[in-house]
Amino acid sequence: MIAPEMTPFPVSPSTVGAPCHEVFRLPAERAAVSDARRRVRSWLTCQQVSEDARDMAQLVISELFTNAVVHTDSSSIACVLQAIPGQLRIEVRDQGGSATRPTPRDAAAGDESGRGLLLVDTLADTWGVVLGERGQGRTVWAALPAHSA
């Protein structure tokens, strides 16, 4: 379900660093996508999240991070992970300079790209986009089912 008008999931500064949160920043480069996937898998393994949930989260972070790299002029990208009972929340925050919203598109059969947000829409319980103030940056977030290992 797409919910573009919803706000990102809050991460209270007092809880950042607590066992149920992970925050990291990486360079906005294609090579950093694999690092984002590794960090997600490692953190979710420590949180004792099921293998299926870890796989879904890796796909989602890969798609959202790649979109931020390809479609914005960011120099770095922040990722926020939050585990609550039964749910994993993922945020990808870029510094992009336009006020456009990422939206799923219909990719032709021969296209090599353009299906990432459709994949996110399929895997996530819900997801959305929040544009930054003054048109600077955006947060794309997704909520995924997460079961204990």
Side-chain angles (χ1 to χ4, degrees):
M1 170 200 304
I2 300 172
E5 300 303 322
M6 296 181 71
T7 59
F9 297 105
V11 176
S12 166
S14 64
T15 60
V16 171
C20 60
H21 291 88
E22 174 72 4
V23 179
F24 59 90
R25 182 175 297 277
L26 296 170
E29 302 169 355
R30 286 184 186 260
V33 175
S34 61
D35 190 19
R37 281 193 304 265
R38 277 191 302 276
R39 286 176 182 240
V40 166
R41 175 159 291 280
S42 176
W43 185 74
L44 290 176
T45 299
C46 290
Q47 298 301 312
Q48 299 181 343
V49 173
S50 72
E51 184 75 22
D52 287 346
R54 289 187 301 234
D55 290 344
M56 284 193 309
Q58 281 188 288
L59 284 170
V60 168
I61 198 77
S62 182
E63 295 301 333
L64 298 183
F65 198 98
T66 298
N67 280 353
V69 169
V70 171
H71 299 292
T72 74
D73 59 355
S74 301
S75 60
S76 68
I77 297 168
C79 301
V80 179
L81 309 174
Q82 182 180 15
I84 61 172
Q87 192 174 73
L88 172 65
R89 298 173 178 180
I90 298 172
E91 290 185 10
V92 174
R93 300 173 182 172
D94 66 56
Q95 305 162 317
S98 72
T100 60
R101 288 183 182 276
T103 56
R105 66 182 182 102
D106 292 324
D111 289 352
E112 293 183 16
S113 64
R115 295 174 186 84
L117 289 178
L118 292 174
L119 178 64
V120 171
D121 189 48
T122 300
L123 295 174
D125 290 337
T126 186
W127 69 278
V129 180
V130 178
L131 299 178
E133 294 182 22
R134 296 180 297 278
Q136 293 297 308
R138 75 206 97 238
T139 299
V140 183
W141 59 266
L144 306 170
H147 306 287
S148 298

